[in-house]
């Protein structure tokens, strides 16, 4: 029963995630992780994103850092940059942003838009002085 139940919680989390009900998605994802020890590779980044949009930057950063040790996928880098910058870790944010830019051959339209949005925010907050892209 365990794997079916784990799958159920992940799929229900995905449903709420797509609807942008991040608190509900988070609860289902956490159940899959904590109760069933899920090893789904997308679970920690999904939880980290939910924490990010809910304003819990410390938990978001923690989980994105754990995911970062396993994968340097642009989705993880985008999230980690945002978590670091929201925590005021400007140097770490810049470093990860530069690493993100080195992955531009893997970008989707989403990544391109996020890079521009992050860069504009860093310029506005005077974290950087000129555009990278």
């Amino acid at each position: 029963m365990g794997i079916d139940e784990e799958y159920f919680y992940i799929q229900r989390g995905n449903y709420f995630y797509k609807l942008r009900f991040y608190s509900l998605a988070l609860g289902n994802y956490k159940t899959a992780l904590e109760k069933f020890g899920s090893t789904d590779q997308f679970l920690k980044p999904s939880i980290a994103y939910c924490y990010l949009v809910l304003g819990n930057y410390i938990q978001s950063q923690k989980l994105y850092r754990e995911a970062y040790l396993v994968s340097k996928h642009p989705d993880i880098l985008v999230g980690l940059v945002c978590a670091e910058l929201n925590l005021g870790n400007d140097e770490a944010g810049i470093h990860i942003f530069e690493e993100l830019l080195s992955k531009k051959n893997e970008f989707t339209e989403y990544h391109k838009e996020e890079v521009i949005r992050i860069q504009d925010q860093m310029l506005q907050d005077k974290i950087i002085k000129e555009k990278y892209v």
Side-chain angles (χ1 to χ4, degrees), residues 2 6 10 13 15 21 38 48 72 75 82 94 98 121-122 124 128-129:
E6 172 189 335
I10 291 172
Y15 173 76
F21 295 150
S38 178
K72 308 298 189 262
D75 286 347
C82 292
I94 291 169
E98 290 171 344
Q121 189 64 51
M122 288 193 305
Q124 181 179 337
I128 58 174
K129 294 180 181 178

Side-chain angles (χ1 to χ4, degrees), residues 92-104:
I94 291 169
H95 172 74
I96 295 162
F97 185 72
E98 290 171 344
E99 185 172 354
L100 173 62
L101 292 177
S102 75
K103 302 277 186 178
K104 64 183 168 192

Side-chain angles (χ1 to χ4, degrees), residues 30 33-34 44-45 47-49 51-52 56-69 76 79-80 83-84 87 89:
K30 285 178 64 178
L33 184 64
E34 295 167 359
K44 281 188 181 179
I47 293 171
Y49 183 78
Y51 277 128
L52 183 69
N56 188 337
Y57 305 124
I58 293 171
Q59 280 299 101
S60 179
Q61 177 207 43
K62 177 183 179 273
L63 289 168
Y64 272 127
R65 284 190 175 274
E66 289 175 15
Y68 176 82
L69 295 174
I76 293 169
L80 185 53
E84 294 291 359
L87 287 170
N89 301 333

